[in-house]
Amino acid sequence: MEMTLHQARNRPFPRYVKWLCAALLGLPATVLAHPHSFIDMQTTLVTNETSLTGLKMVWTMDEITSADLLYDAHNAKPGSDIWKKLAAEVMARVLSQHYFTDFYRDGKPVKYLDLPSEYQLSRKGDQAVLEFVLPLAKPQVLEGKPMEFSTFDPSYFVDMTYKDNTALHLPPALEKRCTLALFTPKPDASLQNYALSLDKADAPPEDMVLGQQFAQKVTLECH
């Protein structure tokens, strides 16, 4: 029987999801230094004719982070109940951290819905790929003040990164009137050394929000 996302959010998590929790939520795991898990991100804007309605995100996990998930999926076919079950459990953990995403416009937070409008988990070679649409609670008119969003693990236990601007995608209809700009911070050497000094038994103070200091920012501006 297919597991729903509601069920996944209210049940104990098996070992592979607990490992993923360690990667995504900053819990102790079995490797040294921060970050010790890596997610390569891609984002496409979801729009109608006048407004931004959501963000379609594709997260490709590194081989180590993916290992338990792919082991439990084994040779299951794409779209099978096994993949749906795994997807629901992983997505539930992402939702528990509000998609790991901050979204602002004119200095004010933009809210989004509690559940994704779609999501799936799949395999790409030795890597697990999570895809989902983060829906905004209210569509944001494209013209006007710029919008800014950032996706990161606050503990910096997992590095969540866009390779470059090519990982950000505009719908063809918006390519002439909108721009997406990627800003990658350059923390000073002392902060980098501090992050590298943290081992599996350490965690940065919560109020430090270490991951935010390494987090990339994406700005959307339309005319």
Side-chain angles (χ1 to χ4, degrees), residues 172-221:
L174 298 183
E175 289 178 352
K176 292 184 178 180
R177 55 180 294 217
C178 298
T179 57
L180 281 168
L182 177 66
F183 170 74
T184 300
K186 296 181 179 179
D188 61 35
S190 62
L191 187 62
Q192 294 184 51
N193 289 335
Y194 172 73
L196 290 172
S197 73
L198 298 172
D199 66 22
K200 65 182 180 181
D202 296 326
E206 287 188 12
D207 58 359
M208 185 181 188
V209 195
L210 181 63
Q212 189 173 42
Q213 300 184 61
F214 289 86
Q216 295 171 310
K217 293 180 175 62
V218 180
T219 302
L220 167 65
E221 190 165 11

Side-chain angles (χ1 to χ4, degrees), residues 43 162-169 179-184 218:
T43 294
Y162 295 106
K163 181 179 179 181
D164 53 36
N165 277 79
T166 63
L168 302 168
H169 309 284
T179 57
L180 281 168
L182 177 66
F183 170 74
T184 300
V218 180

Side-chain angles (χ1 to χ4, degrees), residues 48-216:
N48 57 30
E49 292 183 0
T50 61
S51 302
L52 177 70
T53 61
L55 303 172
K56 179 176 176 58
M57 294 189 166
V58 180
W59 294 358
T60 302
M61 306 169 201
D62 68 80
E63 289 86 349
I64 295 175
T65 306
S66 302
D68 274 351
L69 284 169
L70 298 183
Y71 176 84
D72 284 278
H74 196 48
N75 293 321
K77 294 181 179 180
S80 67
D81 285 349
I82 291 176
W83 278 111
K84 290 176 181 178
K85 176 176 178 289
L86 289 170
E89 289 170 337
V90 173
M91 194 72 228
R93 300 312 298 172
V94 174
L95 292 177
S96 74
Q97 294 296 304
H98 307 288
Y99 300 93
F100 292 90
T101 299
D102 289 345
F103 198 117
Y104 290 92
R105 187 170 206 179
D106 196 23
K108 300 176 181 179
V110 174
K111 295 182 179 180
Y112 26 80
L113 300 180
D114 290 338
L115 297 175
S117 54
E118 61 182 73
Y119 66 95
Q120 68 171 1
L121 188 69
S122 61
R123 175 197 295 269
K124 181 182 179 182
D126 293 328
Q127 295 176 280
V129 181
L130 178 67
E131 301 178 51
F132 62 92
V133 173
L134 184 165
L136 302 184
K138 294 182 179 179
Q140 295 292 309
V141 176
L142 291 167
E143 294 182 359
K145 296 287 186 178
M147 292 172 259
E148 182 180 277
F149 59 91
S150 185
T151 301
F152 61 94
D153 169 23
S155 72
Y156 198 46
F157 203 76
V158 57
D159 182 287
M160 308 175 79
T161 307
Y162 295 106
K163 181 179 179 181
D164 53 36
N165 277 79
T166 63
L168 302 168
H169 309 284
L170 285 165
L174 298 183
E175 289 178 352
K176 292 184 178 180
R177 55 180 294 217
C178 298
T179 57
L180 281 168
L182 177 66
F183 170 74
T184 300
K186 296 181 179 179
D188 61 35
S190 62
L191 187 62
Q192 294 184 51
N193 289 335
Y194 172 73
L196 290 172
S197 73
L198 298 172
D199 66 22
K200 65 182 180 181
D202 296 326
E206 287 188 12
D207 58 359
M208 185 181 188
V209 195
L210 181 63
Q212 189 173 42
Q213 300 184 61
F214 289 86
Q216 295 171 310

Side-chain angles (χ1 to χ4, degrees), residues 4-11 13 88 91-92 95-96 114-115:
T4 68
L5 193 48
H6 291 286
Q7 290 171 323
R9 295 177 77 179
N10 293 287
R11 70 188 293 271
F13 294 96
M91 194 72 228
L95 292 177
S96 74
D114 290 338
L115 297 175

